[in-house]
């Protein structure tokens, strides 16, 4: 009996072991099958799961270069052209004709400015002249003799290069004549530096420093040879523009030229000798002008110009003199008073000015 029970236990135990092994194999087989069924492909990695707080954050901004600023507009081109003229005619007891005309303008673009100007003045006077005498030197006939009292012209061009708002370099050229003053032609050129000293609502003040070259040719005189003269000078100028109102303005300037060289071919006006030493032929040019708008493009202008020449040109023999007439020689007062032009010349002018644009 005991043997049978033992056999039964052994048999039962064997059966239990067999069932357990079978169940274990089935479970492993099912696990493998489940793993093969649920596992993703090997090449597709599972997506990482972000916490909710990280997912709620906005995406980081990407730095983008700002667009380039637009190029500044080109400065406008400035133009200005003016003409002026004056006329004076008298008749009857006083007979004279005088007129003046001038034209000036400039063009400025960026840092470059070109200015041109020209003008002329001409006048005649018909003066009474005795043409007949009777007994006891009584005047029996009177006629009129026309003489030229004013005859001058001038043209000038100037180029300015603006280095900064207040600093400028310039070069200019001049061609002119004043036959009454004994200069059949004079001209030359200048180069220098200009500085804007002051600029406000009412005033503009400038100063210029540079070099001047002048060439002068004189009118012929009987029995004398007058050679042309070249003058090298230091130049200094101070000028102001005063705005009294939107319509009215005043300009003033003083220019001084100091000869640096000895003028070997010039005649010394003080004693008639040949040669003028350095700094003995100083010239000063000054001008004061006022202008006011009358109506739109029409303005009225008034100006006064004064010129000083330390060594003036030889005076031309007046028209109507005898062909063999000449000036007195020597160093006496008559020589100085008659043989040379005066040191000072002035011009007072009132004119209408029209501005084209």
């Amino acid at each position: 009996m005991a043997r049978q029970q033992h056999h039964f236990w052994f048999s039962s135990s064997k059966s239990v072991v067999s069932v357990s092994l079978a169940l274990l194999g089935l479970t492993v087989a099912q696990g493998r099958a489940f793993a093969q069924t649920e596992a993703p492909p090997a090449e597709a990695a599972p997506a990482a799961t972000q916490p909710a707080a990280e997912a709620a954050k906005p995406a980081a901004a990407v730095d983008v270069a700002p667009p380039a600023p637009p190029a500044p507009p080109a400065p406008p081109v400035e133009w200005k052209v003016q003409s002026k003229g004056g006329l004076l005619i008298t008749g009857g007891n006083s007979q004279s004709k005088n007129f003046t005309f001038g034209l000036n303008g400039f063009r400025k673009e960026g840092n470059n400015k070109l200015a041109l100007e020209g003008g002329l003045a001409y006048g005649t006077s018909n003066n009474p002249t005795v043409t007949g005498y009777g007994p006891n030197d009584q005047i029996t006939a009177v006629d009129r003799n026309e003489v030229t009292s004013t005859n001058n012209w001038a043209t000038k061009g100037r180029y300015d290069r603006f280095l900064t708002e207040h600093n400028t370099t310039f070069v200019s050229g001049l061609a002119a004549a004043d036959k009454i003053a004994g200069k059949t032609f004079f001209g030359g050129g200048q180069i220098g530096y200009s500085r804007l000293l002051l600029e406000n609502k009412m005033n503009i003040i400038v100063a210029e420093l540079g070099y001047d070259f002048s060439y002068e040719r004189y009118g012929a005189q009987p029995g004398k040879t007058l050679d042309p003269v070249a003058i090298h000078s230091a130049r200094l100028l101070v000028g102001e523009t005063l705005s009294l109102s939107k319509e009215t303005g005043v300009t003033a300037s003083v220019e001084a030229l100091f000869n640096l060289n000895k003028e070997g071919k010039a005649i010394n006006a003080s004693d008639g000798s040949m040669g003028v030493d350095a700094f003995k032929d100083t010239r000063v040019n000054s001008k004061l002008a006022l202008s006011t708008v009358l109506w739109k493009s029409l303005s009225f202008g008034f100006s006064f110009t004064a010129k000083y020449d330390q060594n003036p040109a030889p005076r031309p023999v007046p028209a109507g003199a005898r062909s063999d007439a000449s000036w007195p020689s020597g160093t006496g007062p008559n020589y100085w008073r008659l043989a040379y032009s005066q040191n000072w010349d002035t011009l007072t002018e009132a004119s209408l000015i029209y501005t084209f644009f």
Side-chain angles (χ1 to χ4, degrees), residues 82-348:
Q82 292 181 325
S83 66
K84 62 180 181 179
L87 180 65
L88 174 65
I89 300 177
T90 62
N93 293 309
S94 175
Q95 300 179 10
S96 63
K97 301 174 183 177
N98 296 274
F99 74 90
T100 61
F101 176 78
L103 184 68
N104 65 79
F106 73 84
R107 181 183 188 274
K108 185 178 185 296
E109 181 178 5
N111 294 327
N112 303 284
K113 180 180 178 181
L114 178 65
L116 301 172
E117 63 177 291
L120 60 88
Y122 185 81
T124 61
S125 178
N126 205 11
N127 300 322
T129 303
V130 177
T131 58
Y133 293 91
N136 301 321
D137 292 333
Q138 293 181 348
I139 298 174
T140 59
V142 174
D143 202 353
R144 288 184 177 269
N145 181 34
E146 185 177 86
V147 296
T148 301
S149 55
T150 304
N151 186 1
N152 61 69
W153 60 269
T155 59
K156 183 178 181 180
R158 171 166 165 154
Y159 167 74
D160 287 82
R161 173 67 179 181
F162 291 84
L163 305 177
T164 66
E165 183 181 358
H166 298 87
N167 300 280
T168 308
T169 59
F170 67 88
V171 60
S172 66
L174 169 71
D178 189 346
K179 292 185 177 180
I180 306 303
K183 300 178 181 180
T184 58
F185 176 83
F186 63 95
Q190 298 176 344
I191 187 170
Y193 164 76
S194 179
R195 170 72 180 179
L196 179 60
L197 300 178
L198 174 67
E199 182 178 17
N200 55 37
K201 186 177 180 180
M202 293 186 62
N203 297 275
I204 297 177
I205 300 177
V206 298
E208 295 182 355
L209 181 66
Y211 162 79
D212 174 273
F213 170 76
S214 296
Y215 173 87
E216 297 182 354
R217 189 171 64 233
Y218 308 117
Q221 288 191 1
K224 288 186 179 181
T225 300
L226 301 177
D227 295 320
V229 175
I231 310 172
H232 303 271
S233 304
R235 176 180 181 267
L236 176 65
L237 178 141
V238 178
E240 179 179 9
T241 300
L242 174 64
S243 297
L244 300 178
S245 67
K246 184 179 179 180
E247 295 79 16
T248 305
V250 177
T251 60
S253 65
V254 178
E255 177 191 47
L257 303 173
F258 306 95
N259 68 306
L260 303 175
N261 65 312
K262 180 176 181 178
E263 304 167 19
K265 295 183 178 181
I267 300 177
N268 194 322
S270 62
D271 57 14
S273 62
M274 290 297 298
V276 178
D277 292 333
F279 299 101
K280 296 297 183 179
D281 191 9
T282 299
R283 286 139 291 150
V284 179
N285 304 309
S286 60
K287 185 174 183 178
L288 177 67
L290 178 145
S291 64
T292 184
V293 177
L294 298 178
W295 181 74
K296 293 184 178 180
S297 297
L298 186 63
S299 303
F300 170 77
F302 179 85
S303 65
F304 175 78
T305 302
K307 298 181 179 182
Y308 170 79
D309 191 343
Q310 185 179 4
N311 193 78
R315 187 196 301 270
V317 176
R322 295 184 304 182
S323 59
D324 58 347
S326 63
W327 298 114
S329 59
T331 59
N334 288 336
Y335 181 80
W336 164 256
R337 182 175 60 84
L338 297 175
Y340 286 86
S341 301
Q342 296 181 2
N343 296 96
W344 286 94
D345 284 302
T346 63
L347 173 64
T348 303

Side-chain angles (χ1 to χ4, degrees), residues 28-39:
V28 171
Q30 289 178 348
R32 288 178 178 175
F34 179 79
Q36 291 176 358
T37 303
E38 296 298 328

